[in-house]
Amino acid sequence: MNLPPLTQSFVLHFGEMGSRWGINRTVGQIYALLYVSEAPLCADQIVEALGISRSNVSMSLRELQAWNLVLLRHLPDDRRDFFTTPDDVWQILRTLAEERKKREIDPTLSVLREILMQEPDSPEERFGQERMAEMHALIERLTTWYDDVKQLDTGRLALLLGLGAGITRLLDAKDRIVGLGRRKPGSGEGRR
Amino acid sequence: MNLPPLTQSFVLHFGEMGSRWGINRTVGQIYALLYVSEAPLCADQIVEALGISRSNVSMSLRELQAWNLVLLRHLPDDRRDFFTTPDDVWQILRTLAEERKKREIDPTLSVLREILMQEPDSPEERFGQERMAEMHALIERLTTWYDDVKQLDTGRLALLLGLGAGITRLLDAKDRIVGLGRRKPGSGEGRR
DNA sequence: TATGGATTTCAGAATTTTCTGAAACTTCAG
DNA sequence: CTGAAGTTTCAGAAAATTCTGAAATCCATA
C-alpha cells in the first residue's frame, strides 16, 4: 500500500469497518480511496495505491456499482473506466440508506408478511405469530416514515435534523393551537 | 432442527440474515427463537430446538448478552439460566440502534476526529482531509439528532413517526405563525 | 472440602468468504 | 481479419469465521 499517511489511516479504517458494514475489506478500502481522491481513478491506479490484485479490484468495483456508491467517468481518447464517488455527502447518505433498506429490511418484511398469512396450528404458533405481527407493524411504521422523509429536499431534511427532539415542543404547540381531537398526544399506540 | 413450521421459517430467516446484520447465523437463530417463545428458554432447550452444539449455544448467548438483546430469568430452585427477549418491540429497537451506533458509527467518528486534528502535508492530503471533514460533519449531525430523539418516550416517538414528512407542513405553519427571527427556514445550518 | 449438576473455554475441524493468477472475452484501430 | 489494450470471469489458494467436543471451571449443597 502506497498512500500518504492521513489517506492511509482513512483507507485502512474503512477496510476494517467493512465487515461490520456488510461489505468486505477491499470494497471498503476502494470506496474510501475514491472518496478522498480529487480526480477519478482507474482500476490500475487502485491496484497501485492499495497493493491488491487486479481481479480483486475489478470484482470490488462491480460490487460498489451494485451498491450505487460510485460514478463512472471517461476521459477523451481513453477507453479506461474511471471511478469517483458523488460529491454530495447527503446524496451518499440517501444511497446508503436505500441500499441497506433493500438488503437488510425488505427481505425480512416479505418473510414476515408471508408467515402472517398462514394459519398457526398450535397455541405456541399463535403466540409466535402475534410476536411476529408486532415486529412487522413496527418495521412497517419505520419504513413508511423513511419513505416519507426521503422525499424531502436536503434543506428541509437538514432543518429537521437540526431541530432534533425540539420537534416535540412544536408538536405540543400545534396540539395547543389546533386543540380539538385530531390525535391524542402520548397515547403510544393507535393509528393506521 | 425441531420446530413448528411458522417458527422454523422465522428462525431460518433470521439465521440467513444474520450475516447481513453483523451477527452470525446461530446468534440470529437463537434470537429469533427466544423472540417467538412465550416462556424463557434454557440453553439445553435451545440446543434441542435448533440442533446445534451446546458450546455454540453458550458462545452465542454470550454474544447476545453483549448486545443487550436478551434478558436473564430464573426459576425458583433451579440454577439454570433462562433467556428471553424484552416484550416491547420499541425497547428492542432502541437497544438495536444504540448497539449498532456503538459498533458501526462511533469508531469511525473517532478515527475521523483524529485525522482531522493532523496537519496534511500535501495538497492531495488537504483535499482528502476536507472530504473527511464533510463526512465528519454529517455523521455528527446525525448522531446529535439521534441522541436527541432517543430521549423521547415511546408515545411521542410513535407520534413523530406517524407524522412522517407531514412534519414539514408543521414546520411551515410554525414559520408562518412565529414569523420573526428565531430561526431562518431553509438555511440548513445553525443550532447548538 | 468433596460432589455433582451446570456452564464456559478453547484447540482444532469444518465451513464460508475473500483474494489471486491465468485464461477468456471485448472492443477498437490498423 | 489481426492484434493490442483493457476488462471480466472463474477455479482454486489463502484467510477468516464459525462450530464442535473434550476438558476445565464454577458453585451450591452436603
Side-chain angles (χ1 to χ4, degrees):
Chain A
M1 186 171 295
N2 181 17
L3 291 169
L6 302 186
T7 307
Q8 170 151 325
S9 307
F10 184 71
V11 164
L12 288 178
H13 176 75
F14 266 60
E16 282 164 23
M17 294 301 283
S19 48
R20 301 199 190 175
W21 297 334
I23 58 179
N24 68 35
R25 183 157 42 121
T26 308
V27 173
Q29 290 185 350
I30 293 180
Y31 183 80
L33 178 64
L34 295 177
Y35 180 80
V36 295
S37 295
E38 185 154 19
L41 302 181
C42 72
D44 283 319
Q45 292 173 298
I46 297 171
V47 167
E48 167 66 14
L50 301 181
I52 55 181
S53 76
R54 185 51 233 267
S55 55
N56 194 3
V57 170
S58 178
M59 299 284 233
S60 301
L61 284 171
R62 167 168 293 274
E63 172 94 4
L64 282 170
Q65 285 177 286
W67 277 82
N68 281 307
L69 283 171
V70 292
L71 300 172
L72 212 58
R73 287 292 155 72
H74 285 101
L75 300 181
D77 300 324
D78 191 331
R79 290 210 264 119
R80 292 174 298 176
D81 290 337
F82 287 77
F83 298 86
T84 1
T85 62
D87 297 337
D88 179 10
V89 287
W90 290 90
Q91 184 47 51
I92 294 173
L93 177 68
R94 287 169 197 268
T95 303
L96 217 53
E98 192 64 23
E99 294 294 331
R100 288 192 78 156
K101 170 172 177 293
K102 199 157 71 190
R103 284 157 226 262
E104 302 183 7
I105 312 290
D106 292 351
T108 298
L109 216 38
S110 94
V111 166
L112 284 173
R113 266 199 272 270
E114 215 157 90
I115 295 177
L116 292 176
M117 288 183 19
Q118 319 231 30
E119 203 46 50
D121 49 37
S122 73
E124 292 79 52
E125 288 268 272
R126 176 165 309 280
F127 178 87
Q129 207 187 38
E130 273 158 28
R131 292 287 281 163
M132 295 186 223
E134 286 174 56
M135 181 181 287
H136 180 261
L138 180 62
I139 300 178
E140 281 265 276
R141 223 178 220 282
L142 291 168
T143 56
T144 301
W145 175 82
Y146 165 75
D147 285 338
D148 255 21
V149 168
K150 79 179 176 200
Q151 309 292 344
L152 296 176
D153 63 81
T154 297
R156 281 187 188 289
L157 190 54
L159 191 61
L160 219 57
L161 275 185
L163 212 47
I167 200 68
T168 52
R169 283 200 304 283
L170 200 52
L171 278 175
D172 291 343
K174 174 219 167 207
D175 280 331
R176 250 179 286 112
I177 294 166
V178 181
L180 11 81
R182 292 191 64 75
R183 194 186 305 280
K184 291 197 303 269
S187 74
E189 270 314 315
R191 166 191 133 82
R192 180 172 294 282
Chain B
M1 185 172 297
N2 180 19
L3 291 168
L6 302 187
T7 307
Q8 172 153 325
S9 307
F10 184 70
V11 164
L12 288 177
H13 176 74
F14 266 60
E16 282 163 23
M17 294 302 281
S19 47
R20 299 199 192 175
W21 295 335
I23 56 178
N24 69 33
R25 184 159 38 122
T26 308
V27 173
Q29 290 185 351
I30 292 180
Y31 183 80
L33 178 64
L34 295 177
Y35 180 80
V36 295
S37 295
E38 186 155 19
L41 302 182
C42 71
D44 283 319
Q45 292 173 300
I46 297 170
V47 167
E48 167 67 12
L50 302 180
I52 56 181
S53 76
R54 185 48 231 270
S55 55
N56 195 2
V57 170
S58 178
M59 299 284 234
S60 301
L61 283 172
R62 169 167 291 275
E63 172 96 4
L64 282 171
Q65 285 177 285
W67 277 82
N68 281 308
L69 282 171
V70 292
L71 299 173
L72 213 58
R73 286 292 154 73
H74 285 102
L75 299 181
D77 300 324
D78 191 331
R79 289 210 265 119
R80 292 174 298 176
D81 290 337
F82 287 77
F83 298 87
T84 1
T85 61
D87 297 337
D88 179 11
V89 287
W90 291 91
Q91 184 47 51
I92 294 172
L93 177 67
R94 287 170 197 267
T95 303
L96 217 53
E98 192 64 23
E99 295 293 329
R100 287 192 80 155
K101 171 174 177 291
K102 199 158 71 191
R103 290 165 172 54
E104 302 184 7
I105 313 291
D106 293 350
T108 298
L109 217 37
S110 92
V111 166
L112 284 173
R113 267 198 272 269
E114 213 157 274
I115 295 177
L116 291 176
M117 288 183 19
Q118 319 229 27
E119 204 46 50
D121 49 37
S122 74
E124 293 81 52
E125 289 266 273
R126 178 167 305 282
F127 177 87
Q129 207 186 40
E130 272 159 27
R131 293 286 281 161
M132 295 186 224
E134 286 175 55
M135 181 180 286
H136 179 262
L138 180 62
I139 299 177
E140 280 266 276
R141 224 179 217 284
L142 291 169
T143 56
T144 300
W145 175 82
Y146 165 75
D147 285 338
D148 255 21
V149 167
K150 79 177 176 201
Q151 309 292 345
L152 296 176
D153 64 83
T154 299
R156 286 189 186 289
L157 189 55
L159 192 62
L160 216 59
L161 275 184
L163 214 48
I167 200 68
T168 52
R169 283 201 306 282
L170 200 52
L171 277 175
D172 291 345
K174 174 218 165 209
D175 282 331
R176 248 180 288 110
I177 293 167
V178 181
L180 12 78
R182 292 191 64 75
R183 195 184 307 279
K184 292 194 305 260
S187 74
E189 273 308 321
R191 168 191 135 82
R192 216 163 259 275

